[in-house]
Amino acid sequence: MRNRLQRIFLGLLILLGCLASVFAQTKEPDTPAKTASSSKTPDLSGVWMRDAPPATAAQYWIYELNQEEPPMTAWGQAQFKAAKSSFGSHEYPLEETNDPVLRSCYPPGVPRVYMHPFPFQFIQTPGEVVMLFEVDSLRREIYTDGKPRDPGLVPLWMGNSIGHWEGDTLVVDTANFNDKTWIDRVGHPHSDQLHVIERFRRTAPDHLVDDITIEDPKAYTKPWTARLEFKLRPWKLTEQFCEDGESFLGLEKKEASQGK
């Protein structure tokens, strides 16, 4: 009787072991698989600063997206001719410029925001990528939750941005701009029909590329492109506002008085 109970008990143990083995083999993966899937989203986070190309005689990249002129319409050419920039080949003294940033402290808009010598930071969250700019302490929200653009928005300085991932690239589609900013620092114009598409991707751990396509049928005869490159920096952003600084005109007079 005793041996029989031992055999029954041993048989039950073997049966339970087999069932556990079968369950382990047939159970669907849960948390580890989901974690592995979500980890495939590329990481652009960090503080980035414009990466200057090699020095040349024409330092166009300081104030223009391309050295070649974009293909402007008659309206675009008239607006560009009316722009009085303090940069480029048709420089004006600061007291004469009508640059919306230098004259009125307006936000620079997109893509001009990258042409100011200040860093920006990427912060990634589920459903949204946020860009924080040191220049004028601006922010830009890029919605990646799949929802369409809100058709009821008023025109915005930085536009309304929606994004999605294509492999290792963050594609950002921005529209709904007002017409009060310049494309760059020399005065290339845009209208409220401006449409900017950007493709951000990391080409090295410390290197970021932004391929930009600019469309505006009122200002340009066809879409045109530019590429900007950035370096990862171990910095923290600081607070900066146009109104807090010394006026650009005051700085120009100070520099002139020192013979610089």
Side-chain angles (χ1 to χ4, degrees), residues 4 10 12 17 19 28 34 47 51 54 72 74 93 103 114 167 180 187 190 197 222 231-232 238 246 251 257:
R4 179 194 247 177
L10 181 60
L12 287 172
L19 289 174
E28 293 185 2
K34 292 178 182 178
V47 175
D51 189 18
M72 288 178 281
R103 291 295 290 185
Y114 304 120
K180 299 177 182 179
H190 71 82
I197 300 173
K222 62 180 180 179
K231 292 284 286 185
L232 187 66
T238 61
E246 186 174 5
L251 286 171
S257 68

Coordinates of all heavy atoms in Angstrom, one line a residue, residues 4 10 12 17 19 28 34 47 51 54 72 74 93 103 114 167 180 187 190 197 222 231-232 238 246 251 257:
R4 N 2.5 1.7 -3.3 CA 1.6 2.1 -4.3 C 1.3 3.6 -4.2 O 1.3 4.3 -5.2 CB 0.2 1.4 -4.1 CG -0.8 1.8 -5.1 CD -2.2 1.3 -4.6 NE -2.7 0.3 -5.5 CZ -3.8 -0.3 -5.3 NH1 -4.4 -0.1 -4.1 NH2 -4.3 -1.2 -6.2
L10 N 4.6 9.9 -7.3 CA 5.7 10.2 -8.3 C 5.1 10.4 -9.7 O 5.6 11.3 -10.5 CB 6.6 9.0 -8.3 CG 7.8 9.0 -9.3 CD1 8.7 10.2 -8.9 CD2 8.7 7.8 -9.2
L12 N 2.2 11.7 -10.4 CA 1.6 13.1 -10.4 C 2.7 14.1 -10.6 O 2.5 15.1 -11.4 CB 0.8 13.3 -9.1 CG -0.5 12.6 -9.0 CD1 -1.1 12.8 -7.6 CD2 -1.5 13.1 -10.0
G17 N 5.1 18.2 -14.3 CA 6.3 18.7 -14.9 C 6.1 18.7 -16.4 O 6.5 19.7 -17.1
L19 N 3.2 19.0 -18.0 CA 2.2 20.1 -18.3 C 2.9 21.5 -18.2 O 2.7 22.3 -19.1 CB 1.1 20.0 -17.3 CG 0.1 18.9 -17.5 CD1 -0.9 18.8 -16.4 CD2 -0.6 19.0 -18.8
E28 N 2.3 32.6 -25.3 CA 2.7 33.7 -26.2 C 3.5 34.7 -25.4 O 3.3 35.0 -24.2 CB 1.4 34.4 -26.7 CG 0.6 33.6 -27.6 CD -0.5 34.4 -28.2 OE1 -0.6 35.6 -27.9 OE2 -1.3 33.8 -29.0
K34 N 7.0 43.1 -26.4 CA 6.5 44.4 -26.6 C 7.6 45.5 -26.3 O 7.8 46.4 -27.0 CB 5.4 44.7 -25.6 CG 4.1 43.9 -26.0 CD 3.0 44.2 -25.0 CE 1.8 43.4 -25.3 NZ 0.7 43.6 -24.3
V47 N 20.8 67.5 -27.0 CA 21.0 68.9 -27.4 C 21.9 68.9 -28.6 O 23.0 68.4 -28.6 CB 21.6 69.7 -26.2 CG1 21.9 71.1 -26.7 CG2 20.7 69.7 -25.0
D51 N 26.1 72.3 -37.2 CA 27.5 71.8 -37.6 C 27.9 72.6 -38.8 O 27.4 72.5 -39.9 CB 27.5 70.3 -37.9 CG 28.9 69.8 -38.0 OD1 29.9 70.5 -37.6 OD2 29.1 68.7 -38.6
P54 N 33.0 73.2 -43.8 CA 34.3 73.8 -43.9 C 34.3 75.2 -44.3 O 33.5 75.6 -45.1 CB 35.0 72.9 -44.9 CG 34.3 71.6 -44.9 CD 32.8 72.0 -44.6
M72 N 12.1 81.6 -57.5 CA 11.0 82.5 -57.0 C 10.0 82.9 -58.1 O 10.4 83.0 -59.3 CB 11.6 83.8 -56.4 CG 12.3 83.5 -55.1 SD 13.0 85.1 -54.4 CE 14.5 85.1 -55.3
A74 N 7.2 85.8 -59.5 CA 7.3 87.2 -59.6 C 6.9 87.9 -58.3 O 7.5 88.8 -57.8 CB 6.3 87.8 -60.7
P93 N 22.3 98.7 -43.1 CA 22.6 99.0 -41.6 C 21.4 98.6 -40.8 O 20.3 98.6 -41.3 CB 22.8 100.6 -41.6 CG 23.1 100.9 -43.0 CD 22.4 100.0 -43.9
R103 N 14.0 93.8 -36.1 CA 13.2 95.0 -35.9 C 12.1 94.8 -34.9 O 11.9 95.7 -34.1 CB 12.5 95.4 -37.2 CG 13.5 95.9 -38.3 CD 14.2 97.2 -37.9 NE 13.3 98.4 -37.9 CZ 13.7 99.6 -37.7 NH1 15.0 99.8 -37.4 NH2 12.9 100.6 -37.6
Y114 N 16.7 77.5 -37.4 CA 18.0 76.8 -37.3 C 19.2 77.7 -37.7 O 20.4 77.3 -37.5 CB 18.0 75.6 -38.3 CG 16.9 74.6 -38.1 CD1 15.9 74.4 -39.1 CD2 16.7 74.0 -36.9 CE1 14.9 73.5 -38.9 CE2 15.6 73.1 -36.7 CZ 14.7 72.9 -37.7 OH 13.7 72.0 -37.5
G167 N 11.4 54.1 -40.8 CA 12.7 53.4 -40.5 C 13.4 54.3 -39.4 O 12.8 54.5 -38.3
K180 N 4.5 86.2 -41.7 CA 5.2 87.3 -41.1 C 6.7 87.1 -40.9 O 7.4 87.9 -40.4 CB 4.6 87.7 -39.8 CG 3.1 88.2 -39.9 CD 2.5 88.5 -38.6 CE 1.0 88.9 -38.7 NZ 0.4 89.2 -37.4
G187 N 16.2 87.3 -46.3 CA 14.9 87.8 -46.7 C 14.2 87.0 -47.7 O 13.2 87.5 -48.3
H190 N 8.1 84.0 -47.8 CA 7.1 82.9 -48.0 C 5.7 83.5 -47.7 O 5.6 84.6 -47.1 CB 7.4 81.7 -47.0 CG 7.1 82.0 -45.6 ND1 5.9 82.0 -45.0 CD2 8.0 82.4 -44.6 CE1 6.0 82.3 -43.7 NE2 7.2 82.6 -43.4
I197 N 8.6 70.2 -45.3 CA 8.8 68.8 -45.0 C 10.2 68.5 -44.6 O 11.1 68.9 -45.3 CB 8.4 67.9 -46.2 CG1 6.9 68.1 -46.6 CG2 8.6 66.4 -45.8 CD1 6.5 67.3 -47.8
K222 N 8.6 76.1 -57.9 CA 8.6 74.7 -57.7 C 9.3 74.4 -56.3 O 9.9 75.3 -55.7 CB 9.5 74.0 -58.7 CG 10.9 74.4 -58.8 CD 11.7 73.6 -59.9 CE 13.2 74.1 -59.9 NZ 13.9 73.3 -61.0
K231 N 25.5 68.7 -34.7 CA 26.4 67.9 -33.8 C 25.8 67.8 -32.4 O 25.2 68.8 -31.9 CB 27.8 68.5 -33.7 CG 28.6 68.5 -34.9 CD 29.2 67.1 -35.2 CE 30.3 66.8 -34.3 NZ 30.9 65.5 -34.7
L232 N 25.9 66.7 -31.8 CA 25.4 66.5 -30.4 C 26.3 67.2 -29.4 O 27.5 67.0 -29.6 CB 25.3 65.0 -30.1 CG 24.7 64.6 -28.8 CD1 23.2 64.9 -28.8 CD2 24.9 63.1 -28.5
T238 N 19.6 77.2 -22.0 CA 19.4 78.3 -21.0 C 18.3 79.2 -21.5 O 17.9 79.1 -22.7 CB 20.7 79.2 -20.9 OG1 21.0 79.8 -22.2 CG2 21.9 78.4 -20.4
E246 N 20.6 93.1 -25.2 CA 20.9 94.5 -25.7 C 20.4 94.6 -27.1 O 20.5 93.6 -27.9 CB 22.4 94.8 -25.6 CG 22.8 96.2 -26.0 CD 24.2 96.4 -25.7 OE1 25.0 95.5 -25.4 OE2 24.7 97.6 -25.9
L251 N 24.4 97.0 -30.1 CA 25.6 96.2 -30.3 C 26.4 96.6 -31.5 O 27.6 96.7 -31.4 CB 25.2 94.7 -30.4 CG 24.7 94.0 -29.2 CD1 24.1 92.6 -29.5 CD2 25.8 93.8 -28.2
S257 N 32.2 101.6 -32.5 CA 33.0 102.5 -31.8 C 34.3 102.0 -31.3 O 35.3 102.7 -31.0 CB 32.2 102.9 -30.5 OG 32.1 101.8 -29.6

